């Protein structure tokens, strides 16, 4: 297939392009910063500059390049500074998930592109009651933290709009596997504290596994919504000390909820204490996907690890 990957130079895009090519696809890869052009070319794609918020440019690109499929992986999170307000941190990404999605879907419709796959997110979005692990059929959080309302609304908009148009939205877990991973950098510096009881559940996914699931989704008929996460959703009190150990950092500092709320905001406290994880059963059954790293423990070890010791065996 001739595939247009929007955001080919990003964390997931740069893992996805080589896997698409290995699977026989021809890839046109977009980037935003001029410095990323060489990266996209080195990955084996035809590089094209694109601002996905410029609807005319999006339309012209899709008309000119005539892809058979579009994969929307554009976010604006590189070097972003996390603030107390997740909505401020994610403002540009939220526009890419709403206006960018609209522009790409309109261009796809105009040019008769039938397949559309887009990046969504699984962790921290499901209703914070009931069991610790949620499926795609479970309710999303009806009352997200005040500082993350726009971010939740943008992801919901993407899910609804993409599936409404017959496409596939992939709710990825928290990405890891990149050498410059933001989370790992913070854990190494002990800037990622354990908050309250650390009962909030997270779902992770290695970037290579996320890319493999995306290749399979491209070959699958939509509409569809899939959690692309590993087999082991875990509470912060389990994963954070273990990740610290794996990357050779000192144990995380501890913060009470009230202080974490003051310093990091209500969104962070929710993630640490109340969030739910996601189930990958549907993606396994319907896409035929099997993660190479079913546990974040083995995945983080492979990506950042010290030698395995008896106590780090799972
Ligand atoms: N995706 C998530 O939900 C998420 C959440 C939390 C943390 N993170 C972390 O954040 C870090 C960076 O993530 P990332 O690679 O997803 O983000 P990114 O580096 O900001 O970029 C993703 C892709 O989107 C492109 N892009 C940016 N603005 C665009 C625009 N206006 N129009 C079209 N394309 C645009 C980028 O191009 P250029 O390379 O040219 O800029 C890049 O190809 C990673 O460590 C990741 O793990 C991601």
């Amino acid at each position: 297939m001739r595939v247009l990957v929007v955001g080919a130079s990003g964390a997931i895009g740069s893992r996805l392009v080589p896997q698409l090519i290995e699977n026989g696809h021809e890839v046109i890869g977009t980037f935003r910063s001029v410095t990323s052009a060489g990266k996209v070319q080195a990955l084996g794609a035809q590089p094209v500059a694109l601002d996905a918020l410029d609807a005319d440019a999006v339309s012209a690109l899709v008309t000119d390049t005539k892809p058979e499929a579009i994969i929307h992986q554009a976010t604006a999170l590189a070097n972003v500074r996390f603030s107390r307000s997740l909505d401020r941190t994610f403002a540009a990404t939220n526009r890419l998930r709403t206006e960018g999605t609209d522009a790409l879907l309109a261009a796809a419709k105009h040019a008769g592109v039938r397949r559309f796959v887009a990046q969504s997110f699984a962790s921290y979005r499901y209703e914070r009651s009931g069991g610790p692990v949620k499926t795609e059929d479970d309710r999303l959080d009806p009352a997200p933290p005040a500082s993350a309302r726009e971010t939740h609304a943008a992801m919901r908009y993407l899910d609804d709009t993409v599936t409404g148009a017959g496409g596939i939205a992939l709710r990825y877990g928290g990405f890891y596997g990149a050498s410059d991973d933001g989370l790992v950098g913070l854990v190494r510096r002990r800037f990622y504290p354990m908050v309250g009881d650390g009962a909030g559940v997270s779902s992770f996914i290695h970037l290579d596994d996320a890319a493999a699931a995306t290749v399979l989704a491209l070959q699958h008929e939509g509409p569809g919504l899939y959690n692309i996460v590993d087999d082991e959703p875990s509470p912060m009190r389990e994963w954070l000390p273990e990740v610290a150990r794996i990357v050779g950092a000192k144990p995380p500092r501890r913060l009470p909820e009230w202080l974490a709320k003051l310093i990091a905001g209500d969104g962070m406290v929710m993630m640490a204490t109340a969030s739910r994880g996601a189930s990958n059963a549907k993606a396994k059954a319907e896409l035929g996907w099997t993660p190479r790293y079913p546990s974040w423990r083995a995945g983080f070890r492979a990506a950042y690890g010290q030698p395995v010791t008896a106590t780090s065996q799972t």
Side-chain angles (χ1 to χ4, degrees):
M1 238 184 275
R2 187 166 161 79
V3 186
L4 174 64
V5 177
V6 178
S9 50
I12 170 81
S14 56
R15 304 294 177 115
L16 175 61
V17 170
Q19 290 199 29
L20 286 168
I21 293 170
E22 267 167 41
N23 281 274
H25 300 292
E26 181 190 352
V27 183
I28 303 134
T30 81
F31 57 91
R32 175 86 173 100
S33 345
V34 277
T35 47
S36 298
K39 183 174 183 182
V40 174
Q41 184 148 34
L43 292 169
Q46 176 192 332
V48 186
L50 179 73
D51 178 359
L53 299 177
D54 180 343
D56 290 340
V58 170
S59 175
L61 177 66
V62 174
T63 304
D64 288 351
T65 55
K66 299 182 179 56
E68 297 162 274
I70 296 176
I71 305 182
H72 175 10
Q73 297 286 7
T75 53
L77 294 163
N79 308 317
V80 87
R81 278 186 74 82
F82 275 82
S83 75
R84 293 181 72 249
S85 164
L86 285 178
D87 286 343
R88 206 176 311 141
T89 305
F90 278 78
T93 294
N94 291 343
R95 287 190 66 201
L96 285 166
R97 287 180 170 156
T98 52
E99 296 165 51
T101 300
D102 284 344
L104 287 163
L105 280 172
K109 188 173 178 192
H110 180 72
V113 181
R114 279 196 57 250
R115 288 189 187 258
F116 196 96
V117 178
Q119 174 184 152
S120 183
F121 194 59
S123 282
Y124 321 125
R125 288 185 65 200
Y126 286 104
E127 189 168 33
R128 286 171 275 150
S129 60
V133 180
K134 303 291 187 179
T135 74
E136 295 83 346
D137 291 334
D138 285 317
R139 277 218 311 170
L140 293 174
D141 190 345
S147 71
R149 275 187 204 133
E150 289 165 20
T151 304
H152 280 244
M155 293 187 282
R156 190 186 283 250
Y157 181 87
L158 182 146
D159 290 350
D160 292 348
T161 316
V162 169
T163 54
I168 293 182
L170 299 178
R171 289 179 176 168
Y172 297 114
F175 289 143
Y176 68 89
S179 56
D180 61 349
D181 186 86
L183 169 78
V184 167
L186 292 174
V187 173
R188 281 202 177 107
R189 285 177 285 141
R190 293 186 94 202
F191 284 173
Y192 204 110
M194 175 82 74
V195 175
D197 63 3
V201 177
S202 288
S203 280
F204 291 102
I205 192 69
H206 192 290
L207 285 163
D208 287 337
D209 281 332
T214 311
V215 175
L216 291 168
L218 185 68
Q219 291 149 7
H220 196 76
E221 281 300 322
L225 195 56
Y226 296 97
N227 292 330
I228 304 299
V229 297
D230 75 10
D231 293 356
E232 203 184 343
S234 300
M236 184 193 225
R237 60 176 169 244
E238 251 180 60
W239 70 257
L240 181 54
E242 180 64 8
V243 169
R245 226 171 47 77
I246 289 168
V247 304
K250 289 186 183 161
R253 298 175 209 276
R254 292 187 162 272
L255 276 188
E257 276 185 48
W258 66 268
L259 186 55
K261 197 167 177 179
L262 275 180
I263 296 171
D266 56 356
M268 282 304 177
V269 172
M270 180 275 280
M271 291 179 198
T273 61
S275 71
R276 299 303 200 259
S279 158
N280 61 16
K282 184 181 174 194
K284 284 179 164 175
E286 294 187 12
L287 302 180
W289 169 69
T290 309
R292 183 171 158 208
Y293 298 106
S295 161
W296 52 268
R297 297 171 203 271
F300 273 90
R301 268 202 303 268
Y304 311 105
Q306 318 288 311
V308 180
T309 63
T311 50
S312 64
Q313 301 272 11
T314 55

